[in-house]
Amino acid sequence: MNGLRRAGDYIWEFLVVTVIVAVAAATVLPLIPVTVGLFAFFRRDIDERRFKDIFTAIAENWKILIPYTLFQLIIIVFPLLNIYYFNTHPENLNAFVLAISVIALVFGIFYLATAPAVIVGMNVNFRQLLRNGIMLLFGGAVRSIAAVACIVGAVALILWFPYAVVLTFYAVPYINCRFMSENFYKLKAKALGTTVHELKTAEHADDYLDEYGRIKRTEKLNGEQNEDKNED
């Protein structure tokens, strides 16, 4: 029964996240903030995350999301439109514009992979976001390559099979969050002189105090408090 319930949770989550991303993509402008919100959403275990995490993260980081969204729209959307146009109208191909579009798109993809982790995990201005976004790639080469490859795959679908991209609305943010979160933990642990395990353990301990704690966690905390009182 637990396995069936968990499967139902993932299916429901897949459907809701897909609809949210589809609406954001259709209206274009909200798409970048939603990717940041999804990073905050997927950071939590499935038993803890709630859909309002997406919008809470957007609201909490709206100041940095304004310049970041404009940056990504310029460096991703316009190059994609240029590349798509040249693919469908090869007779109008402009090699210089195509080359600039590809270079800009590469940078945009890098930041699409790394910036959500920096925005959610740190309090930064736009310049610091750009610098730390590059640094995050060095938290783990294999994970970074895999995360970027997922986004590249989604971009390729947009260019050559636009209707198939809907299948990536859930998978790409989820996979990117898994990889980039580990990179973030690794760099943070190195900066603090601790281990990734200790960082995660500390965050797990804090879960008992936030609004996402489950009843069993509250009961466990209350049980520990009662034991302390009995010892006194």
Side-chain angles (χ1 to χ4, degrees), residues 42-54:
F42 284 127
R43 284 183 73 188
R44 295 185 175 276
D45 293 333
I46 189 169
D47 290 330
E48 299 175 350
R49 57 189 181 235
R50 301 180 183 181
F51 296 119
K52 71 175 184 178
D53 294 342
I54 301 171

Side-chain angles (χ1 to χ4, degrees), residues 12 52-53 65 103 149:
W12 173 244
K52 71 175 184 178
D53 294 342
L65 282 175
I103 293 172

Side-chain angles (χ1 to χ4, degrees), residues 70-79 101 104-108 111:
L70 294 175
F71 170 76
Q72 286 291 54
L73 287 176
I74 293 172
I75 206 170
I76 286 184
V77 175
F78 289 119
S101 297
L105 187 59
V106 169
F107 278 99
Y111 282 111

Side-chain angles (χ1 to χ4, degrees), residues 148-201:
V148 171
C150 287
I151 298 176
V152 169
V155 171
L157 285 175
I158 292 174
L159 291 173
W160 284 283
F161 306 100
Y163 298 109
V165 75
V166 69
L167 300 177
T168 70
F169 286 169
Y170 179 91
V172 172
Y174 178 83
I175 294 172
N176 183 67
C177 180
R178 295 297 97 189
F179 289 138
M180 287 298 112
S181 289
E182 288 301 314
N183 281 11
F184 184 82
Y185 278 124
K186 185 175 179 180
L187 291 178
K188 185 176 180 180
K190 183 177 180 181
L192 296 177
T194 184
T195 65
V196 172
H197 176 72
E198 290 176 345
L199 282 177
K200 291 183 177 181
T201 300

Side-chain angles (χ1 to χ4, degrees), residues 28-36 64-81 101 103-117 119 126 129-130 133 148 151 155 176:
V28 181
L29 194 60
L31 181 59
I32 301 303
V34 165
T35 62
V36 174
I64 186 64
L65 282 175
I66 292 175
Y68 172 61
T69 298
L70 294 175
F71 170 76
Q72 286 291 54
L73 287 176
I74 293 172
I75 206 170
I76 286 184
V77 175
F78 289 119
L80 274 177
L81 292 175
S101 297
I103 293 172
L105 187 59
V106 169
F107 278 99
I109 289 173
F110 281 150
Y111 282 111
L112 201 60
T114 62
I119 292 173
F126 184 66
L129 171 63
L130 296 181
V148 171
I151 298 176
V155 171
N176 183 67

